[in-house]
Every structure is written in structure tokens, then in C-alpha cells.
Amino acid sequence: MGTLTRKQREIQQRESLLLDVARTMLMEHGFAGLSMDRLAEATEYSKGTIYQHFSTKEDLVAALAIQSLTYRSDLFDRASEYPGRPRERMFAIGVADELFARLHPQYYKAEMVIRMAALQTRADAERCKHLCGQDQTCMNRVRDIVASAVAAGDLALERPRTAEQVSFAVYSIALGTHLGMHNYGSMFDAAELGPPESLTRDGVQILLDGFGWRPLTTEWDYCKTYHRLIKDVFADEHRRLESL
């Protein structure tokens, strides 16, 4: 890909600024409180300039969701390439999701608002297609690891259970935990459940033990796997967390 021209860089920088300000507005005021008028006032760009980037408010929100999922997809890609057994790679996906939520809490919270907006009819068709593609990429990483566990003999699924159902269950626990922590945090007793940042990982591990996915937590030291992942795969993200 060729080097961007000065004009193209300026356009990219302007769009990045618009997205950053819009995400903050979405966090503070919700979907109803986000408007092109407010965004224009906050950034000192004209509404006409903003409409050059985003055709509607829904299109702007779709762009925010894509930005969020792009960050997560990169982490999931690295996790899925970890040179371990399939369950270790699924564990790595959990660590990636945890790091994403801790490093970008505003993205995850905003995404929950974004999902409640009806984007399909008022957002740019290509942007919606891109958004669905990003969603599917994350789910495919999980599904591929489940399939590799079945192929390796680490996970035995008896009919009518399928790899797709296991993938959906894993994804649902992760999503449900994030939703619960952000919206019903007072219900979670840290003394009983442990550190909030590990709740998703722990929940998925309990699920996978229930499916009999080997090696079980009684057979493998996943704490060592975690430390290897932090050292070899997510060192930069870990340093960023320590600096916060």
C-alpha cells in the first residue's frame, strides 16, 4: 500500500478526532445525547465537514463499533496463534478479551450502547457490512479453536452437542460477564468471586471443565500459561496496564 498524501493523513486525523469526541459523548450522554450539532460544537468543525465522514448519526455510531472491534480482533488474532494446545489458545482468547476490557473500558461500555441502536437502516451499507465482518471474525477465532480441540481429541462432543454451540456458549459467557460488570457491578462480591478482571476467564474455565475439554484445570497449570502469554504475546499491553 502506498504512502498517504498529506491531505489523506489530515482526513484520517480529523476522522480519528471526530470518533474520539463522539465516543466520549456517547459514554456521557448515551445514544440520545449524541448529535451532529453537539459534535460540531465540540470539535469546531462544521456539520458539513462532519457529514463528509459520516452520513448519519447511526453511521457515526457504526464507525465507533468498527473501531472498537478492530482493536479486539487484533488481540484475538495474536491469541489464536499462540503455540499451545487448543484449550490454551482458548484461554489466550480470554486473556485477550480481558486486556481489551481493561485497556479500553470506554470502548466496551460504548459498544453496549451501540448495540442498542438500529444501525442497519440508517448507516452506510458498506460500513454495516464491515461491522458484521468484524463481529464474524472474532466469533470465527473462537469456533476454529473449538474445532481444533475436537480434531485433536481434547474435546469429545456427543450428539446433539456441536462445536457451534460450544463457541456460542463461550462467547455468551464473555459478553454476559462484561454486561453484568458494567451494569450490575454491585451484585458482584469481589470477596467471593475474586478479582473482577478475571471473572470472564474463570467463568469460561468452569464451562470448559463442564464440557470435559482437556486439559482440565485440575490437570494443567493455567497460571503458568497466563504468565507465558503476558510475557510472549501481550507484553506491550501488560506494560500499558502497569503504567495506568
Side-chain angles (χ1 to χ4, degrees):
M1 187 174 181
T3 303
L4 297 177
T5 66
R6 179 180 177 181
K7 183 66 173 179
Q8 289 171 324
R9 290 196 302 271
E10 289 174 351
I11 291 172
Q12 281 192 349
Q13 290 167 358
R14 183 172 64 208
E15 183 161 309
S16 180
L17 171 64
L18 292 171
L19 288 172
D20 288 344
V21 175
R23 192 179 295 279
T24 300
M25 286 185 175
L26 192 64
M27 290 288 297
E28 294 178 351
H29 306 294
F31 182 74
L34 174 64
S35 72
M36 297 306 208
D37 287 324
R38 286 185 174 179
L39 185 58
E41 182 180 356
T43 60
E44 299 185 346
Y45 285 115
S46 69
K47 285 179 63 177
T49 297
I50 294 174
Y51 279 120
Q52 291 175 14
H53 293 270
F54 313 107
S55 59
T56 62
K57 182 172 81 167
E58 289 79 7
D59 192 39
L60 169 61
V61 172
L64 288 171
I66 290 169
Q67 189 185 59
S68 175
L69 283 172
T70 299
Y71 281 117
R72 193 183 308 146
S73 292
D74 173 66
L75 292 171
F76 275 34
D77 286 346
R78 281 188 275 152
S80 66
E81 294 170 1
Y82 179 70
R85 292 178 68 169
R87 182 155 173 181
E88 284 189 283
R89 288 190 282 126
M90 185 64 78
F91 183 81
I93 291 284
V95 174
D97 188 57
E98 171 194 321
L99 289 170
F100 173 79
R102 293 177 67 189
L103 284 169
H104 304 284
Q106 74 279 19
Y107 288 112
Y108 222 116
K109 291 178 183 178
E111 191 176 318
M112 297 302 102
V113 177
I114 289 165
R115 297 301 180 184
M116 292 187 290
L119 303 176
Q120 288 77 11
T121 59
R122 288 181 51 81
D124 177 78
E126 282 302 311
R127 210 184 300 272
C128 282
K129 183 178 179 181
H130 189 185
L131 177 58
C132 291
Q134 287 285 354
D135 268 329
Q136 194 61 51
T137 295
C138 289
M139 177 60 89
N140 286 345
R141 294 291 176 270
V142 174
R143 185 180 292 113
D144 289 346
I145 294 172
V146 173
S148 68
V150 173
D154 289 344
L155 176 61
L157 296 178
E158 298 181 3
R159 292 184 178 181
R161 196 72 65 225
T162 67
E164 286 73 20
Q165 289 175 325
V166 176
S167 303
F168 181 78
V170 170
Y171 221 79
S172 297
I173 282 185
L175 180 60
T177 303
H178 286 301
L179 279 170
M181 289 300 298
H182 289 313
N183 296 290
Y184 307 99
S186 61
M187 295 175 59
F188 292 82
D189 187 342
E192 294 291 334
L193 296 173
E197 61 269 16
S198 68
L199 288 180
T200 300
R201 263 190 293 129
D202 293 344
V204 171
Q205 289 287 70
I206 292 170
L207 175 75
L208 300 187
D209 276 353
F211 279 124
W213 187 338
R214 308 193 68 152
L216 305 176
T217 53
T218 56
E219 303 170 332
W220 193 270
D221 190 343
Y222 286 97
C223 285
K224 289 184 177 179
T225 300
Y226 178 83
H227 290 300
R228 285 196 297 270
L229 286 165
I230 293 300
K231 177 184 176 183
D232 299 334
V233 182
F234 303 120
D236 289 343
E237 287 75 20
H238 184 63
R239 279 194 293 270
R240 288 169 58 193
L241 275 178
E242 289 186 323
S243 68
L244 295 178

